[in-house]
Amino acid sequence: VRHITRGEIVRLLVASPAFADLWYENYQKGDAALRAKTWDEAISQFTQAIGKKGDPGVQVRTVGLNFVNYHPYLKLGIAYFNLGQTDAALQAFDTEERLGAIAKSPGDLKELQRYRQQAKDAAQTLQATEKERIAKAVGGAMEEARGLEQKGQLAEALAALGKALAVDPQNAPALASAERLRGSIAAREREREQEDRLTALVREAKDLMAGGKLGLASSELSQAVSIRRTPEVVGLLEQ
């Protein structure tokens, strides 16, 4: 039987839950990370603190006679805000205020309200910027589609409209243009098929006429006339 060394015992003890940070230690480390502007580390520490103690409080006892205002969701929101994750920040701020304890700490509440307004302003700016980006992308794609359609490149024009719909799937003008182009492409395909069929019928009729099978040739030419009455078809039919 292998004996466990003293060093292995120490590593096992240190790794055990009993040696894990307490909630207020995570909270203190999170505060230090905020001051250092290491936002990811702050999020990690405040998230761990919340996992161990989810209820905020004012003058919460930590160890001995030490007390702290414990507002982990506020601090978590500040870290998210500085990372540009405004939705997550607003959710954290709302949670902090909903749980109620921060109302007993006017200074912390004022800080929450200030950061929440900044997050809302940032979200609105981001939304406006995103709308502008989408409008520019859609406008450029539709302009490209119009140019390709004028050149008769319908499939390419439809592909260009796909770029517009990729960023704004519900854009009504782009949807209408795409539907119209699909109809034009389908009509062009039908026309091409009819042209191929007409060419085949005329070729078959000529072969039949050359072989003296005039009745069969007449039947082929009658089908050709039903597709399109061209001078060639009419002349062959008269013959």
Side-chain angles (χ1 to χ4, degrees):
V1 177
R2 187 177 73 85
H3 293 288
I4 300 176
T5 67
R6 181 177 180 179
E8 289 174 321
I9 292 173
V10 170
R11 285 195 297 273
L12 288 169
L13 288 174
V14 170
S16 69
F19 284 81
D21 287 339
L22 299 172
W23 66 267
Y24 53 82
E25 292 174 323
N26 289 124
Y27 193 62
Q28 290 168 353
K29 289 180 179 179
D31 266 336
L34 281 185
R35 290 192 295 272
K37 299 183 179 180
T38 52
W39 313 120
D40 287 322
E41 174 64 14
I43 289 171
S44 174
Q45 292 297 333
F46 290 130
T47 300
Q48 291 180 64
I50 290 169
K52 297 165 187 176
K53 179 176 171 57
D55 295 331
V58 173
Q59 290 300 291
V60 180
R61 185 174 180 176
T62 57
V63 59
L65 295 178
N66 294 319
F67 297 86
V68 63
N69 285 350
Y70 181 58
H71 302 303
Y73 299 98
L74 166 61
K75 302 299 182 70
L76 181 63
I78 292 172
Y80 274 129
F81 170 74
N82 281 284
L83 277 178
Q85 300 181 29
T86 54
D87 288 343
L90 288 169
Q91 183 177 356
F93 296 147
D94 289 345
T95 300
E96 186 71 69
E97 190 166 30
R98 177 173 53 79
L99 291 173
I102 199 167
K104 301 175 184 178
S105 177
D108 292 322
L109 179 59
K110 186 176 180 179
E111 184 177 34
L112 182 150
Q113 292 169 340
R114 178 170 60 86
Y115 268 105
R116 180 163 56 192
Q117 186 59 53
Q118 289 179 8
K120 286 182 177 179
D121 292 343
Q124 289 175 354
T125 299
L126 182 63
Q127 186 178 25
T129 301
E130 180 65 7
K131 285 183 177 179
E132 183 178 351
R133 183 191 70 82
I134 290 173
K136 185 176 181 180
V138 170
M142 293 190 68
E143 181 64 26
E144 180 185 359
R146 281 191 290 270
L148 289 167
E149 184 178 4
Q150 289 172 359
K151 296 176 183 178
Q153 300 174 15
L154 303 187
E156 292 80 357
L158 186 59
L161 284 174
K163 299 176 188 177
L165 293 171
V167 295
D168 188 4
Q170 302 304 318
N171 186 277
L175 286 170
S177 294
E179 183 64 24
R180 179 178 53 76
L181 275 174
R182 280 191 286 268
S184 297
I185 291 171
R188 177 180 285 185
E189 181 62 23
R190 288 192 300 270
E191 184 178 346
R192 187 189 64 78
E193 290 174 354
Q194 287 182 343
E195 186 65 29
D196 290 345
R197 177 60 176 156
L198 177 63
T199 300
L201 287 169
V202 171
R203 184 174 59 251
E204 291 170 9
K206 287 179 178 180
D207 290 341
L208 290 167
M209 290 173 69
K213 300 177 181 179
L214 302 183
L216 291 175
S218 177
S219 175
E220 297 291 293
L221 291 169
S222 296
Q223 294 181 55
V225 167
S226 68
I227 294 174
R228 189 163 68 250
R229 192 179 183 87
T230 67
E232 182 185 19
V233 172
V234 172
L236 288 172
L237 191 56
E238 288 176 351
Q239 289 181 47

